[in-house]
Every structure is written in structure tokens, then in C-alpha cells.
Amino acid sequence: RVVNELWLADIQTNCTLIFNSTQAFWAANAGATYVSPFLGRLADYMYANDHVERPRGSSLYFMEEHKVPTDGQDRVANTAYVAADGDRKDAGAIDTLAKRLSDSDPAVAAAAAAALGRIGTVRAARILNKTLESAPAATKAAVADSCLACAEGLLAQNNQKAAVAMYDAVRTADLPKHLKLAATYGAIRALGDDGLDRALEQLGAKDKDFFNVGLRMVREFDGSDVTKALLASLKSVDGVRKILVICAL
């Protein structure tokens, strides 16, 4: 709330203690100028629990050749090794990671999804998209978060079409609102100039958070067409929303 008030006052802010992409999205949605991921503490946690020796250059070693009880620290180590494949961004790990998406341990399945998201190829995207459709409740949110990460990677590779498709898959799925918000924001951003209609569409949303996404993104577009569209939207909004649209003008 404070960040949003400062944003409305045109004061830049930096949100710290960010541990994941969802928190980063909410900070940005509130109006934060910068976010600061707490990467040091995340790395400390992984190093502290990464206690099984692994041959140099083989991030798949643990999960392919070791079978241990998935409880306590063993489970954490198993998850860490699966996730390591995403850090290496090695497309050669995709087949093995795909098999781990159905692992009986939800933490391992979630880590495999995260790794695929970081690898971020078109093939990884197809696998994640298919998994999202049938993922159990225990891992569905994690798979969706990985889809968002994969979309970011595809966009960085200038594959706009695949990125937007990935965002839309999350946006239209039965998921918690914060993930659908992140996907809506991502899709509009990925579409570039073609995302204006989607941004304006959110101004008519009943949910205030989706309205805020639309309002924030509309500010990123220039031109008289944007002004005309915002003026037209004043007829269908009232109260605080009307004030916010006027401020966007």
C-alpha cells in the first residue's frame, strides 16, 4: 500500500527481501521502481543442504544414479540436484527432467518444473504447458510459476509468439489469482504495441487487481489512440477508478 502511494506521488522505491518471481511481480504491480532479490540467502540455503558429492560437470548424477528416501535432508538434496539442471540451462537434460514431473515427491516434481522453466526452450515450454493442464493440486502452482519463467526466457530469445502462448496458458488456467495476474501482465508486456487492447480490457475488469495491471500497463503506451481509449473508458468506470484513469492521462 505504501509503495503504491509513493508511486502515485512519482517517488521511486526499491523493494528488498524478494525471494521469488511472484513477490517481484506484486512489488512491481504496486509501483516499485526496483526489486532486490535476496540471492545470497537463497544460495546459502542451497549450499548448506547440498551435502551429497556429485562428479564435476554432471548435474544429473544424483537423481539418475542415487535412490534415497525422500524425507528430511535427503529430500532437500534430491530437489536441489534436480533444480541444478535448470541452472546449467542444458537442453540435454530435458528428457530426464520431464520424467521427474510425475515424481511421487511433490518437491522433486516442482524442482523439475522449475529447472525446465529456467532452460526455457520451445520444447521445454511444450512440456510445461502440457503438464500444467493435468498437474495435481500439490504441484500445479509450481508448474505455473515455471511456465512464467519459461515465458520470460522465450521472450529474451525474441520468441514473442511462444512467450505469449505460455502466458496465455497460465492466464486461462484454474490457478490462484496472483499467478493469473502475473501472466496477464507478462502477456501484455510481451505483445508490445499490440498489447494495448489487452491492457485496456483490464480497465473493465471487476477485480481491482486486474484493473491495476491494466492501468499500470496503459501508462507504458504512447500516442493519441491511447489517450482516446482512456477518455472513452471514463464512461464505464466510477469512483476511485475514474480518478486513477484521469491520473493516467
Side-chain angles (χ1 to χ4, degrees):
R1 185 174 180 180
V2 172
V3 170
N4 188 250
E5 291 293 330
L6 292 171
W7 174 67
L8 291 173
D10 202 25
I11 297 174
Q12 294 187 342
T13 56
N14 178 24
C15 279
T16 61
L17 294 174
I18 301 296
F19 284 93
N20 55 53
S21 58
T22 301
Q23 290 178 334
F25 165 76
W26 279 109
N29 187 50
T33 312
Y34 308 100
V35 294
S36 297
F38 216 152
L39 298 182
R41 289 295 171 265
L42 292 175
D44 289 345
Y45 176 81
M46 295 303 293
Y47 284 130
N49 292 283
D50 191 12
H51 61 275
V52 180
E53 184 178 356
R54 180 183 68 207
R56 190 178 186 83
S58 177
S59 60
L60 285 173
Y61 174 78
F62 182 81
M63 70 175 197
E64 285 186 333
E65 300 186 22
H66 288 261
K67 195 69 175 178
V68 297
T70 54
D71 59 347
Q73 293 300 315
D74 284 331
R75 181 186 63 77
V76 173
N78 197 10
T79 302
Y81 277 97
V82 175
D85 294 297
D87 292 334
R88 296 176 67 239
K89 296 185 178 180
D90 185 354
I94 290 178
D95 287 338
T96 302
L97 290 169
K99 294 176 183 177
R100 290 291 168 172
L101 290 171
S102 58
D103 196 282
S104 59
D105 185 343
V108 174
L116 287 168
R118 286 193 294 273
I119 289 172
T121 63
V122 172
R123 184 158 174 261
R126 289 181 186 140
I127 292 170
L128 285 171
N129 198 353
K130 184 177 180 180
T131 302
L132 181 64
E133 297 173 358
S134 58
T139 59
K140 191 163 188 173
V143 173
D145 196 52
S146 300
C147 288
L148 295 176
C150 189
E152 289 291 315
L154 291 168
L155 193 59
Q157 300 167 41
N158 296 317
N159 195 336
Q160 181 195 51
K161 183 177 180 180
V164 172
M166 205 70 180
Y167 284 126
D168 284 345
V170 176
R171 185 175 60 85
T172 58
D174 183 15
L175 291 162
K177 185 171 76 170
H178 70 278
L179 291 168
K180 294 169 77 70
L181 283 167
T184 301
Y185 172 85
I188 295 172
R189 184 169 58 86
L191 284 166
D193 292 340
D194 294 331
L196 177 59
D197 287 341
R198 288 209 190 187
L200 292 170
E201 181 183 328
Q202 300 309 310
L203 296 182
K206 294 181 179 180
D207 188 288
K208 66 177 183 179
D209 291 322
F210 284 96
F211 169 82
N212 286 335
V213 168
L215 185 66
R216 179 166 181 78
M217 292 308 297
V218 163
R219 292 172 182 263
E220 304 296 324
F221 296 92
D222 297 318
S224 59
D225 288 343
V226 181
T227 302
K228 291 177 182 178
L230 286 173
L231 288 172
S233 72
L234 289 173
K235 300 177 182 179
S236 57
V237 296
D238 52 23
V240 174
R241 290 192 176 191
K242 182 168 289 189
I243 294 172
L244 292 173
V245 171
I246 291 174
C247 288
L249 285 164

